[in-house]
């Protein structure tokens, strides 16, 4: 009898402690909820600077609807030359939807409707006259899960150049493949097994193969949708180094769930929340001195 | 840990232990049930094969008489001109009769001569004629030739008909029996490989009947089916999966395709009769029409299998291709269709195998007719293997029993060959992703 009484007493004490620890958290989440409400209002002005000095792509008032549900609300953002823009935010906030607007991959979803003004070097990419094939050759994409074609490593890289007729003969094609693999840091590992299936590579190698495949068509912008989420830390580090090198030549937009990654690879960071672009600024400012409460809560790990 | 909690844990453990034995028993029972089902199925297949092969293998041999045929110029070429017309209409039966009679000199009288004549196949004289027409130098010479025996003789020699059975199944007279024994004692009766069975069309005489006509009819019909149903089926599947807008009309088309797969095959036969024969006026009994009807029947199967194969191609492959700037058609042609090809081929082969074994729709368009000629093109009248099996199974002669089984064996061999090709093709196209 006495044993169980003591146990009950301990239980009670623990519960009390829990209550105590819960109280501030409650306050916090209430605060977050208030911030949410301020965001949920119709008009929302993005904090920070949406424009870039030398923009390759400009997005103005971009709205995306999936059927009746609106996924993006009036997003304005520039992607500058030789610059990495990191898109961060909790799951379902519209980061992926946003970068899929940039090469019109949302076209493949029947119910998706994209409005707004998205320009690549001043050219409206949503206009009727825009050729999607050409657009996607100029705005390449690397996906979350490595998705090499079930073909040889060579064929994987050569597919894009062949598709667009970039090589006039076999020697040129060989050269494109080698250069692309070199720039993706895969040449040393792959040069002796070019005829073997790309699917036989490790996850990190596959993702670098996908990057090689993307840069083989010489795009102007590279979009990356959580390219490291399926990779281990070593493979991730290699990809991040690679992104750094690639930013010398390309404009890059990268979606990531890792704030450390965003801090490491990007010059600018955009924080999305519930389909709205809350804040965009230079990366170190976002992480050290964010302008919006939600951004601060997210980057300090209070939610997300 | 309190005493209560400890008791509760012990109780849980006790209950789990108590149920374990029952659980393992039911798992063992389940495995045993599955195994016995598989064995039962296997036993039936084995039984089928044993019966068919046991009944049918003798049809690949045919009793023949070794006779010294004298190509008598007085009988077949009285003018000495070797005129083909004359040669074609000469009395070759007389040559065989003379040869037989010289072996069996004690045969006399019209009745006995007629009985002796009946030992030889009705078609044997035409074999001789063909040989002479092909080689006129034979005229005037004597050759030792193998002459096809009548099916009654064949059945007796093979032991399918009892020797001492009187007035029953045995349809040979005692004297015929005696002559056969005499020829056999002389080493002139032998079972030889039945070439006719593999080279000829149907016949009323079992010993002259062959499977070639039906096999070629089936082959032609299946070729037509393949050429029509495979590309159409794949095109329909690709359109429905990759390009069709999602709306009520497409839903209606899908529902109808799925329903078509379940329509009884004879209904397709009726459709073929009214559309292809009556409306378009295509030739009756032709493998062309048979193939058209069978492709109507096979299309839904191919479409459904191909759609499943296309669905199973991971979307990441499509995204990768689209992201590189491939158009939708390029994405489908370069990546989706090649990856779905093994599944599509499997579907096509399943459909084709079903078409090969189908007889009902062919009955409706006249491929059940008695056709002696081996078809030379898809518009010649022909029959098909399953229909031939049906026709022979329906014939009264004892010798057609083994031929029915033999035809079934050919049908199965056809099927196995098709499946082998399918597996080979599938392995060739199979890729990992």
């Amino acid at each position: 009898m006495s044993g169980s009484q003591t146990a009950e007493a301990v239980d009670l004490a623990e519960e009390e402690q829990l209550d105590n620890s819960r109280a501030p958290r409650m306050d916090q989440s209430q605060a977050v909820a208030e911030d949410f409400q301020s965001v949920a209002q119709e008009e929302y002005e993005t904090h920070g600077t949406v424009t870039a000095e030398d923009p390759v792509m400009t997005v103005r008032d971009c709205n995306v609807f999936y059927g009746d549900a609106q996924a993006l609300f009036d997003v304005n953002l520039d992607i500058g030359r030789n610059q990495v823009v990191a898109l961060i935010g909790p799951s379902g906030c519209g980061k992926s939807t946003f970068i899929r607007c940039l090469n019109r991959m949302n076209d493949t979803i029947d119910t998706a409707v994209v409005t707004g003004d998205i320009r690549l070097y001043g050219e409206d990419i949503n206009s009727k006259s825009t050729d999607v094939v050409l657009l996607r050759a100029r705005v390449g994409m690397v996906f979350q899960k490595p998705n090499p074609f079930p073909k040889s490593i060579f064929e994987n890289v050569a597919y894009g150049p062949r598709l667009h007729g970039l090589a006039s003969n076999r020697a040129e094609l060989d050269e494109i493949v080698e250069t692309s693999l070199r720039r993706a840091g895969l040449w040393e590992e792959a040069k002796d097994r070019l005829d073997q299936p790309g699917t036989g590579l490790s996850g990190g190698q596959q993702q670098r193969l996908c990057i090689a495949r993307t840069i083989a068509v010489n795009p102007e912008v590279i979009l990356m949708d959580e390219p490291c989420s399926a990779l281990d830390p070593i493979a991730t580090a290699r990809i991040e180094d690679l992104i750094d090198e690639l930013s010398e030549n390309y404009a890059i937009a990268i979606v990531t769930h890792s704030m450390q990654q965003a801090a490491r690879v990007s010059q600018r960071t955009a924080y999305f929340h519930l389909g709205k672009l809350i804040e965009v600024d230079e990366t170190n400012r976002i992480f050290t001195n964010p302008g919006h409460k939600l951004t601060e809560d997210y980057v300090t790990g209070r939610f997300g | 840990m309190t005493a209560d909690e400890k008791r509760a844990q012990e109780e849980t453990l006790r209950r789990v232990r108590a149920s374990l034995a029952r659980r393992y028993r039911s798992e063992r029972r389940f495995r045993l049930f599955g195994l016995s089902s598989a064995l039962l199925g296997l036993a039936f297949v084995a039984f089928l094969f044993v019966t068919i092969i046991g009944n049918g293998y003798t049809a690949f041999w045919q009793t023949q008489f070794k006779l010294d045929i004298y190509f008598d110029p007085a009988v077949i070429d009285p003018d000495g001109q070797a005129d083909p017309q004359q040669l074609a209409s000469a009395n070759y039966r007389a040559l065989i009769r003379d040869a037989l009679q010289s072996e069996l000199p004690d045969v006399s009288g019209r009745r006995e001569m007629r009985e002796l004549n009946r030992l030889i196949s009705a078609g044997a004289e035409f074999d001789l004629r063909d040989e002479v027409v092909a080689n006129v130098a034979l005229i005037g010479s004597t050759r030792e030739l193998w002459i096809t025996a009548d099916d009654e003789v064949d059945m007796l020699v093979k032991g399918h008909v009892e020797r001492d059975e009187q007035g029953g199944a045995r349809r040979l007279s005692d004297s015929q029996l005696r002559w056969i024994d005499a020829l056999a004692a002389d080493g002139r009766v032998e079972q030889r490989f039945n070439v006719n069975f593999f080279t000829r069309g149907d016949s009323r005489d079992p010993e002259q009947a062959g499977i070639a006509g039906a096999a070629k009819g089936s082959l032609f019909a299946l070729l037509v089916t393949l050429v029509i149903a495979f590309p159409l089926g794949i095109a329909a599947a690709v359109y429905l999966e990759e390009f069709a807008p999602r709306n009520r009309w497409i839903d209606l088309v899908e529902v109808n395709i799925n329903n078509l797969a379940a329509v009884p095959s004879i209904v397709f036969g009726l459709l073929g009769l009214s559309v292809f024969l009556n409306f378009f006026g295509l030739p009756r009994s032709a493998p062309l029409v048979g193939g058209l009807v069978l492709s109507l029947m096979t299309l839904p199967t191919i479409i459904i299998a191909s759609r499943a194969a296309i669905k199973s191609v991971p979307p990441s492959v499509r995204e990768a291709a689209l992201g590189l700037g491939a158009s939708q058609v390029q994405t489908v042609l370069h990546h989706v269709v090649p990856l779905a090809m093994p599944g599509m081929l499997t579907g096509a082969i399943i459909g084709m195998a079903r078409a090969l074994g189908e007889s009902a729709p062919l009955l409706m368009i006249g491929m059940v007719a008695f056709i002696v000629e081996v078809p030379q093109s898809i518009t010649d009248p022909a029959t098909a293997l399953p229909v031939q099996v049906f026709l022979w199974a329906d014939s009264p002669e004892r010798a057609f029993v083994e031929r029915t089984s033999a035809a079934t064996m050919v049908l199965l061999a056809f099927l196995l060959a098709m499946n082998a090709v399918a597996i080979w093709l599938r392995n060739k196209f199979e890729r990992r992703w």
Side-chain angles (χ1 to χ4, degrees):
Chain A
M1 246 347 238
S2 67
S4 65
Q5 265 180 349
T6 337
E8 265 172 42
V10 170
D11 282 353
L12 278 173
E14 270 176 5
E15 253 174 52
E16 226 164 297
Q17 265 182 350
L18 272 174
D19 273 348
N20 286 338
S21 65
R22 225 177 261 156
R25 277 194 71 91
M26 288 290 273
D27 286 349
Q28 227 173 51
S29 54
Q30 260 169 10
V32 170
E34 277 164 25
D35 289 337
F36 280 9
Q37 285 195 339
S38 73
V39 172
Q41 286 158 8
E42 277 298 304
E43 290 297 317
Y44 178 79
E45 198 69 33
T46 302
H47 276 248
T49 332
V50 297
T51 52
E53 260 179 34
D54 184 8
V56 176
M57 295 194 84
T58 55
V59 181
R60 293 291 172 267
D61 299 323
C62 178
N63 288 286
V64 178
F65 304 84
Y66 293 120
D68 295 333
Q70 189 166 1
L72 274 188
F73 299 82
D74 294 325
V75 173
N76 298 294
L77 185 63
D78 284 2
I79 294 166
R81 192 193 300 276
N82 303 348
Q83 195 180 59
V84 180
V85 178
L87 311 173
I88 59 171
S91 292
C93 67
K95 323 177 282 287
S96 295
T97 301
F98 176 73
I99 68 163
R100 288 170 68 94
C101 291
L102 302 180
N103 66 346
R104 287 182 57 180
M105 279 301 273
N106 281 327
D107 287 12
T108 59
I109 301 164
D110 286 340
T111 55
V113 177
V114 180
T115 65
D117 186 63
I118 304 174
R119 287 175 189 275
L120 174 62
Y121 287 117
E123 210 177 294
D124 184 6
I125 67 164
N126 281 324
S127 80
K128 282 228 157 57
S129 60
T130 302
D131 191 327
V132 181
V133 167
L134 186 64
L135 171 69
R136 288 185 189 147
R138 296 173 70 189
V139 183
M141 189 156 189
V142 177
F143 295 87
Q144 182 172 2
K145 211 176 129 228
N147 56 352
F149 298 124
K151 298 182 176 196
S152 71
I153 294 173
F154 183 89
E155 286 301 318
N156 261 286
V157 183
Y159 182 70
R162 258 200 205 127
L163 205 59
H164 301 296
L166 300 185
S168 53
N169 56 42
R170 176 73 193 202
E172 275 184 42
L173 192 62
D174 283 347
E175 202 189 310
I176 292 176
V177 170
E178 183 179 337
T179 326
S180 308
L181 283 171
R182 269 190 203 287
R183 282 162 84 184
L186 194 60
W187 178 250
E188 289 306 318
E189 291 149 83
K191 65 180 176 193
D192 298 324
R193 45 195 289 203
L194 288 176
D195 55 341
Q196 282 171 34
T199 42
L201 297 169
S202 75
Q205 288 172 327
Q206 285 189 21
Q207 196 61 297
R208 275 180 280 149
L209 176 62
C210 291
I211 293 174
R213 185 176 66 185
T214 305
I215 57 185
V217 292
N218 241 335
E220 287 148 41
V221 182
I222 300 177
L223 309 173
M224 296 186 173
D225 192 352
E226 298 183 45
C228 301
S229 66
L231 304 182
D232 67 43
I234 295 168
T236 302
R238 294 211 58 169
I239 303 273
E240 285 177 4
D241 290 346
L242 180 58
I243 293 172
D244 220 34
E245 286 165 31
L246 292 175
S247 68
E248 288 167 17
N249 299 300
Y250 304 100
I252 297 174
I254 175 171
V255 168
T256 176
H257 269 298
S258 155
M259 276 169 281
Q260 289 86 344
Q261 185 168 65
R264 281 192 297 263
V265 301
S266 69
Q267 283 79 53
R268 289 168 74 221
T269 297
Y271 173 66
F272 283 76
H273 188 91
L274 293 178
K276 288 179 176 141
L277 179 53
I278 303 297
E279 182 166 0
V280 51
D281 222 320
E282 278 168 21
T283 298
N284 54 20
R285 180 171 299 172
I286 289 279
F287 284 101
T288 54
N289 187 19
H292 195 282
K293 186 74 172 58
L294 272 176
T295 318
E296 191 188 334
D297 287 346
Y298 186 75
V299 298
T300 53
R302 235 167 255 169
F303 74 92
Chain B
M1 190 187 290
T2 65
D4 279 352
E5 278 171 318
K6 203 167 176 65
R7 260 203 308 281
Q9 276 182 356
E10 277 165 5
E11 177 64 16
T12 309
L13 210 62
R14 194 185 61 73
R15 286 195 186 179
V16 170
R17 281 220 184 86
S19 70
L20 264 185
R22 199 165 32 116
R23 211 153 73 193
Y24 287 141
R25 255 204 318 280
S26 88
E27 275 174 26
R28 260 200 309 280
R29 220 170 24 238
F30 184 79
R31 268 208 300 265
L32 211 67
F33 183 69
L35 184 68
S36 50
S37 309
L39 284 180
L40 190 72
L42 211 64
F44 274 116
V45 170
F47 181 72
L48 173 85
F49 272 89
V50 167
T51 324
I52 287 174
I53 294 174
N55 277 336
Y57 80 98
T58 47
F60 298 127
W61 281 268
Q62 167 68 36
T63 306
Q64 297 187 330
F65 294 123
K66 186 165 73 177
L67 295 177
D68 301 318
I69 304 283
Y70 173 51
F71 291 94
D72 191 351
V75 176
I76 53 175
D77 190 21
D79 306 339
Q81 304 287 316
D83 173 25
Q85 196 87 44
Q86 173 92 41
L87 288 179
S89 58
N91 184 7
Y92 292 93
R93 173 125 303 234
L95 300 183
I96 300 172
R97 199 180 50 220
D98 293 347
L100 262 181
Q101 213 171 2
S102 66
E103 292 300 323
L104 304 162
D106 60 326
V107 179
S108 62
R110 283 179 62 89
R111 232 191 93 234
E112 283 204 331
M113 282 307 296
R114 213 165 43 236
E115 279 188 7
L116 184 64
N117 221 350
R118 281 207 205 106
L119 293 182
I120 302 296
S121 164
E125 55 197 272
F126 303 114
D127 299 344
L128 278 189
R129 180 197 63 193
D130 293 345
E131 267 187 63
V132 171
V133 169
N135 181 13
V136 286
L138 281 174
I139 299 168
S141 67
T142 302
R143 290 291 164 93
E144 190 176 77
L145 290 176
W146 288 96
I147 303 295
T148 307
D150 188 68
D151 58 309
E152 297 298 340
V153 179
D154 190 37
M155 288 298 100
L156 185 90
V157 172
K158 283 174 179 166
H160 292 320
V161 177
E162 296 292 324
R163 289 177 67 93
D164 50 5
E165 202 174 339
Q166 270 301 353
R170 198 190 89 191
R171 294 168 69 194
L172 295 168
S173 69
D174 289 338
S175 39
Q176 281 177 315
L177 223 58
R178 207 175 58 243
W179 298 328
I180 293 169
D181 289 342
L183 286 168
D186 213 11
R188 289 182 176 275
V189 180
E190 211 172 277
Q191 288 190 46
R192 294 168 63 83
F193 185 68
N194 192 352
V195 182
N196 284 355
F197 185 76
F198 292 100
T199 56
R200 302 219 166 152
D202 202 3
S203 169
R204 292 282 181 235
D205 295 315
E207 74 276 8
Q208 296 292 335
I211 198 73
K216 246 179 136 179
S218 269
L219 185 72
F220 282 146
L222 281 184
L223 282 179
V224 172
T225 307
L226 184 70
V227 165
I228 292 173
F230 191 55
L232 272 186
I234 287 180
V238 166
Y239 176 75
L240 287 174
E241 276 305 316
E242 299 284 332
F243 299 103
R246 296 269 160 266
N247 62 31
R248 204 169 300 177
W249 289 110
I250 296 299
D251 287 347
L252 195 72
V253 169
E254 285 180 13
V255 167
N256 274 307
I257 287 173
N258 293 343
N259 282 341
L260 270 182
V263 167
S265 55
I266 191 126
V267 177
F268 285 106
L270 281 170
L271 180 73
L273 174 65
S274 62
V275 174
F276 298 126
L277 296 190
N278 294 346
F279 186 74
F280 286 112
L282 291 174
R284 222 157 270 270
S285 305
L288 171 66
V289 183
L292 286 170
V293 170
L294 291 177
S295 29
L296 287 183
M297 205 193 76
T298 316
L299 255 180
T301 315
I302 296 183
I303 294 176
I304 290 170
S306 300
R307 289 187 66 183
I310 292 171
K311 269 204 191 94
S312 72
V313 174
S316 66
V317 172
R318 287 187 190 87
E319 281 197 326
L322 289 173
L324 275 176
S327 67
Q328 211 177 351
V329 174
Q330 283 172 326
T331 304
V332 169
L333 291 185
H334 296 170
H335 300 286
V336 177
V337 169
L339 287 175
M341 199 40 96
M344 290 173 165
L345 281 172
T346 310
I349 291 294
I350 289 172
M352 298 291 288
R354 205 183 134 205
L356 175 66
E358 200 56 72
S359 52
L362 302 182
L363 306 186
M364 303 308 297
I365 53 126
M367 281 186 85
V368 71
F370 174 72
I371 289 146
V372 178
E373 292 295 318
V374 177
Q376 298 304 319
S377 77
I378 54 170
T379 49
D380 288 347
T383 184
L385 281 170
V387 180
Q388 189 69 75
V389 170
F390 164 73
L391 283 173
W392 284 350
D394 212 27
S395 300
E397 286 87 352
R398 175 63 181 81
F400 274 126
V401 173
E402 60 177 31
R403 277 168 178 76
T404 305
S405 290
T408 312
M409 282 158 73
V410 171
L411 181 60
L412 288 177
F414 223 106
L415 210 67
L416 287 179
M418 267 172 62
N419 281 339
V421 170
I423 290 167
W424 177 74
L425 279 175
R426 197 164 58 202
N427 290 343
K428 199 167 131 72
F429 283 109
E430 193 107 77
R431 283 177 205 168
R432 288 174 298 119
W433 60 72

